[in-house]
Amino acid sequence: MATGSVLTKEKSRKGTPDIFIPTEEGYIMCEVTTQENRLEKRLKHDIDHCMSQKGIPLEKILKIVLICNSKIRSELYQTIRQYKNVVTPMIRMDIIDVDDLATRIYKNYHSIIRELGITIDTNQIFEPAKFVHQYDRSRFAISLTNRFYNRDAELALALQGLEDHVKIEVKNFTHGELQQILSSPEFDISEPFIDRIYGISKGNPRLAIMCVRAGIEQGATALQNASSIYEKYFSGMLENIGGLLQNQELLKVAGIVSLMRTINLNDADQIDEIHECFGLSSTSLK
């Protein structure tokens, strides 16, 4: 709660901590400063500020958090910590300087950085909600917003595996498990078609949903075998890139990139080797 802020101002109100956070055990007191000169004096003042306020009993204060937009050198950090221990040895304290704040935002709050228009990655890593949104935008993706069925045991094992670094094997669904999904209101598939879908997918949930889509879009005649399902499902993609498949040079480049991941165009030896093996010039690789 930002009780120390002044409405329409970027400064705090005298005699009140800038922010206090209530928890079940007590309160966390936060002080924020933009002061650069005499920073040591300011941080010590902020500690005194938290201890002298009258609104919250001192025994209820769990931690003091000092936040500043300057860099805190190790000598100053130690000085402020020693001062806090003299004033109030039982209360914990965190000091967050500009580097620490940037690191915390980078690690935990990518959406804030993107709102500021700062590029921090190659857009391959997203926060969970953003990842689902981006993934579901593709017409070839199996939606991640479907209800979660029959994986409670595997989910528990996966969470445990993250701690123990154990590989978890996820098996295909049984006929009964797949029937529970396809007969749900979300899909509402009748039993004869469920049997046919299970026969094609062998319990593979991704392939089963692809069968559902094919059946909805093209009718029951589309449910023949797995290869025909894949062919119909990805036919739109093949139509979009059909012209590219005729470009032999582009296919070579795609194959090289898929294997080597990156190509250093400034590495003359690497470019010469690619040219010798595939007949591609550096211009083709750009």
Side-chain angles (χ1 to χ4, degrees):
M1 298 183 180
T3 58
S5 62
V6 179
L7 189 63
T8 74
K9 304 291 184 181
E10 294 184 357
K11 297 296 182 181
S12 58
R13 180 184 295 112
K14 185 177 180 180
T16 307
D18 293 333
I19 303 169
F20 77 89
I21 303 172
T23 71
E24 292 183 359
E25 294 78 19
Y27 295 86
I28 299 173
M29 314 292 284
C30 301
E31 289 282 2
V32 182
T33 181
T34 59
Q35 185 168 320
E36 297 180 5
N37 299 324
R38 301 186 300 277
L39 185 57
E40 177 182 338
K41 180 179 180 181
R42 174 66 193 198
L43 294 176
K44 288 180 178 179
H45 171 268
D46 285 344
I47 293 174
D48 295 336
H49 197 191
C50 291
M51 302 308 297
S52 62
Q53 55 78 39
K54 304 300 182 182
I56 297 173
L58 297 184
E59 63 271 16
K60 291 289 187 179
I61 299 177
L62 303 175
K63 181 194 291 187
I64 295 172
V65 180
L66 304 179
I67 305 172
C68 65
N69 66 342
S70 302
K71 291 187 177 182
I72 300 291
R73 299 182 180 275
S74 57
E75 298 85 355
L76 177 56
Y77 182 90
Q78 189 63 27
T79 298
I80 299 302
R81 184 159 293 281
Q82 290 173 349
Y83 180 80
K84 190 279 302 180
N85 288 338
V86 171
V87 175
T88 174
M90 301 304 295
I91 296 177
R92 293 176 291 140
M93 182 183 69
D94 283 344
I95 302 177
I96 302 176
D97 70 352
V98 65
D99 288 338
D100 188 17
L101 181 62
T103 299
R104 291 172 186 240
I105 293 176
Y106 175 78
K107 291 175 63 177
N108 303 312
Y109 305 102
H110 286 185
S111 58
I112 294 178
I113 302 179
R114 293 194 179 94
E115 286 295 325
L116 295 174
I118 301 174
T119 302
I120 58 171
D121 55 34
T122 57
N123 287 326
Q124 298 181 68
I125 300 176
F126 298 96
E127 295 174 1
K130 183 69 173 178
F131 172 80
V132 171
H133 174 72
Q134 289 292 109
Y135 181 87
D136 281 356
R137 288 177 62 184
S138 171
R139 62 184 293 262
F140 303 106
I142 300 299
S143 177
L144 297 179
T145 58
N146 297 326
R147 184 178 171 185
F148 200 69
Y149 286 95
N150 304 318
R151 293 299 192 198
D152 294 336
E154 289 88 342
L155 181 59
L157 288 172
L159 293 174
Q160 182 64 38
L162 289 175
E163 300 178 1
D164 301 335
H165 306 288
V166 176
K167 194 173 185 179
I168 306 299
E169 179 184 359
V170 179
K171 298 180 179 179
N172 286 347
F173 287 134
T174 65
H175 185 284
E177 290 171 334
L178 189 62
Q179 182 174 12
Q180 182 185 5
I181 297 172
L182 299 182
S183 63
S184 68
E186 191 169 1
F187 298 103
D188 194 24
I189 305 297
S190 59
E191 190 164 341
F193 292 108
I194 292 176
D195 294 338
R196 186 182 298 185
I197 291 172
Y198 181 79
I200 296 172
S201 67
K202 308 301 182 186
N204 181 305
R206 180 181 177 84
L207 181 53
I209 302 303
M210 291 169 67
C211 289
V212 171
R213 281 194 179 180
I216 292 175
E217 295 174 0
Q218 303 176 39
T221 55
L223 304 179
Q224 299 174 13
N225 52 57
S227 61
S228 66
I229 294 297
Y230 282 120
E231 182 179 351
K232 290 179 173 62
Y233 190 82
F234 292 108
S235 59
M237 180 184 296
L238 292 174
E239 290 173 3
N240 291 335
I241 66 173
L244 299 178
L245 295 178
Q246 307 304 318
N247 188 326
Q248 294 300 311
E249 188 174 89
L250 190 59
L251 288 176
K252 288 181 182 180
V253 173
I256 293 170
V257 172
S258 67
L259 290 173
M260 301 180 67
R261 310 298 294 175
T262 58
I263 300 173
N264 184 357
L265 296 177
N266 296 318
D267 186 340
D269 292 336
Q270 186 181 50
I271 297 302
D272 288 343
E273 186 176 356
I274 291 174
H275 176 72
E276 183 178 345
C277 294
F278 302 99
L280 296 173
S281 65
S282 59
T283 303
S284 302
L285 297 171
K286 291 181 179 179

